[in-house]
Amino acid sequence: MTDALDPAAMREHYRSTPLDEAELPAEPMEQFVHWFKDAAAGRLHEPNAMIVSTATPDGRPSSRTVLLKHFDDRGFVFYTNYASRKGRELGANPHVSLLFPWHPLTRQVIVTGTAARVGRDETAAYFRTRPHGSQLGAWASPQSAVLSSRGELLRRYEELAGRYPAGEQIPVPPEWGGYRVTPETVEFWQGHENRLHDRLRYVRTPGEPGGWRVERLAP
Ligand SMILES: Cc1cc2nc3c(=O)[nH]c(=O)nc-3n(C[C@H](O)[C@H](O)[C@H](O)COP(=O)(O)O)c2cc1C
């Protein structure tokens, strides 16, 4: 392996302003908004991309990237196929982790919580904002199923495109929809020199003012 490709030799020096407990808002969503704005302003490629990890009831994990499509005080929303691997795992075990890998800012945010399906009205409202081709794609793909070939997928797409020409209203696929992740913990990680990183974690604590306590974790 050449030195340039040796992962053990890859080392970035992080320089950034400290993350201070005293300056944190009482609620994690407010802090998320600050960092999400920074990620968007930093021209990160797809700052709303997050890694969603799920697990089977006996604890076998799986991860994949999905796009955050909405967030507010209730939680983080993404859209997918309910019959996909992640959908089946969430159906049996709602515990989930979300990770925003904002590496160019030497930051990451890690959420743990539980996922529940959003209402069909909310899904339909979002589905209607998707481009026509993405709407067809949601119908065409039996997400996570084994395909015989790419041709099989294209045939399904073309068949649907014939049935629903551009401009025609496409119904929401019954197996497609949103999940809202209600956070239990939200960790804000800020990289610093000498690996002396900041890790501040909000933990949902009903007795606390605002409903959250913040703890500092060793890096
Ligand atoms: C940048 C990026 C964004 C993605 N966004 C989504 C998404 O919003 N919803 C989705 O179902 N899959 C999305 N995918 C595809 C997933 O990573 C994954 O392949 C798919 O959801 C099937 O996952 P599963 O078989 O583990 O359920 C995205 C992939 C990438 C790389």
Side-chain angles (χ1 to χ4, degrees), residues 45-46 49 54 62-69 78-81 84-88 130 143-144 176:
H45 182 65
E46 298 196 298
T54 54
S62 65
S63 300
R64 75 289 292 157
T65 309
V66 307
L67 296 178
L68 176 73
K69 285 296 168 183
F78 64 92
Y79 288 87
T80 193
N81 188 305
S84 66
R85 177 178 183 175
K86 74 181 95 45
R88 282 180 277 118
R130 287 167 64 98
Q143 196 177 57
S144 314
W176 191 92

Side-chain angles (χ1 to χ4, degrees), residues 11-149:
R11 188 158 284 122
E12 293 283 339
H13 294 285
Y14 298 165
R15 277 188 188 76
S16 45
T17 44
L19 183 60
D20 190 348
E21 286 88 336
E23 286 164 22
L24 278 190
E27 298 194 358
M29 280 306 188
E30 236 183 282
Q31 178 63 21
F32 184 82
V33 171
H34 293 319
W35 276 25
F36 191 58
K37 277 187 187 155
D38 291 346
R43 300 196 168 278
L44 263 63
H45 182 65
E46 298 196 298
N48 59 329
M50 58 187 187
I51 295 157
V52 176
S53 298
T54 54
T56 59
D58 62 341
R60 290 166 193 258
S62 65
S63 300
R64 75 289 292 157
T65 309
V66 307
L67 296 178
L68 176 73
K69 285 296 168 183
H70 181 75
F71 65 91
D72 59 26
D73 291 345
R74 294 170 298 163
F76 301 86
V77 176
F78 64 92
Y79 288 87
T80 193
N81 188 305
Y82 291 141
S84 66
R85 177 178 183 175
K86 74 181 95 45
R88 282 180 277 118
E89 291 184 0
L90 287 173
N93 171 12
H95 296 285
V96 64
S97 153
L98 310 176
L99 187 151
F100 294 86
W102 292 328
H103 303 175
L105 303 178
T106 63
R107 285 176 177 173
Q108 68 179 347
V109 175
I110 303 174
V111 176
T112 63
T114 50
R117 294 182 182 194
V118 306
R120 290 312 280 171
D121 288 354
E122 190 172 344
T123 284
Y126 171 67
F127 188 76
R128 282 194 291 272
T129 69
R130 287 167 64 98
H132 185 75
S134 306
Q135 293 186 355
L136 291 174
W139 270 104
S141 172
Q143 196 177 57
S144 314
V146 175
L147 296 173
S148 60
S149 65

